[in-house]
Amino acid sequence: QVQLVESGGGLVQAGGSLRLSCAASGRTFSNYAMGWFRQAPGKEREYVATIRWSDRSTNYANSVKGRFTISRDSAKNTVYLQMNSLKSEDTAVYYCAGTTTRSFPPVEYGYWGQGTQVTVSS
């Protein structure tokens, strides 16, 4: 009932910045929180950050804390991930996800985007 489409990925030099976007469509009124995950080659998908839609409360993984910022634009039904001071270890496919479950930080996500590739060169 909710569709998510990520964009903004690409090739970036280490130390550079990139801004990812995730546009939501469908029954977006039911959304409680949205988050970002990533999956590097040969590794499991890992949590990056999440934001509660109502009050913009945020939560970050320790690996990105201080470098990444999650935000949202309610008028555009879009969530962003501003990534600064990028490292080669940040190279991964980044996925946007959403949930209607009212817990924070969320413990489960019900719908996912297709992913966007981020490659950081050194």
Side-chain angles (χ1 to χ4, degrees), residues 3-122:
Q3 296 79 45
L4 305 177
V5 179
E6 302 96 332
S7 62
L11 176 63
V12 186
Q13 185 78 18
S17 299
L18 203 61
R19 187 196 193 197
L20 306 183
S21 299
C22 175
S25 61
R27 298 174 65 87
T28 57
F29 63 87
S30 62
N31 180 68
Y32 177 73
M34 297 182 70
W36 288 95
F37 293 75
R38 66 187 183 185
Q39 187 168 22
K43 295 185 177 181
E44 298 295 316
R45 185 173 299 185
E46 67 172 338
Y47 167 75
V48 175
T50 191
I51 183 168
R52 185 156 57 191
W53 204 257
S54 60
D55 64 354
R56 303 188 185 189
S57 294
T58 59
N59 181 269
Y60 297 91
N62 289 333
S63 59
V64 306
K65 198 170 298 182
R67 300 188 298 121
F68 290 11
T69 302
I70 188 170
S71 62
R72 58 86 165 161
D73 185 336
S74 60
K76 297 181 178 180
N77 288 313
T78 299
V79 64
Y80 304 95
L81 185 67
Q82 178 66 47
M83 305 184 294
N84 299 326
S85 302
L86 283 163
K87 309 173 182 179
S88 59
E89 307 94 271
D90 296 317
T91 295
V93 176
Y94 283 71
Y95 297 90
C96 178
T99 182
T100 61
T101 303
R102 298 182 180 185
S103 63
F104 197 83
V107 296
E108 63 87 26
Y109 293 82
Y111 37 93
W112 296 77
Q114 83 290 346
T116 185
Q117 177 70 49
V118 173
T119 303
V120 184
S121 62
S122 59

